Amino acid sequence: MSKEVWDYIFFKTAPFPKTDISKEKLDKLKEEFEFWYPVDLRVSGKDLVPNHLSYYLYNHVAMWSEREKWPVAVRANGHLLLNSEKMSKSTGNFLTLTQAVDKFSADGKCVLTCLSF
């Protein structure tokens, strides 16, 4: 994989590169990329904000000057504590969305109620 191959896949106006990879395969990769990009939502842990998630954004801005390929949204989880402990399945103080709806209903008050169980 050369820089020219990646350019062909990622950029609409890049010329077909000199490569042993068939045009059919590269066009399939280009089609897949166009289907999945831009990313609608990237979710990760709060501990990755200062490095991984920041550079995730920097890299997209560096590669595509137009915003059409930039991620639409980035969310970080892990900011909530319950009884001074992180909320996680391993500590047992965590509910899945289905469990929360079953226990508290799906109305707007569920979010506040779920956080204080």
Side-chain angles (χ1 to χ4, degrees), residues 30-44:
K30 188 178 198 102
E31 180 184 322
E32 288 288 319
F33 172 74
E34 289 296 327
F35 179 82
W36 291 107
Y37 259 74
V39 175
D40 292 334
L41 176 64
R42 172 72 170 102
V43 179
S44 195

Side-chain angles (χ1 to χ4, degrees), residues 1 5 17 23 42 52 54 61 73 80 91-92 97 104 111 115:
M1 297 293 286
V5 168
K23 185 171 187 329
R42 172 72 170 102
H52 176 76
S54 296
V61 171
L80 298 176
T91 60
L97 184 57
F104 302 107
V111 174
L115 295 177

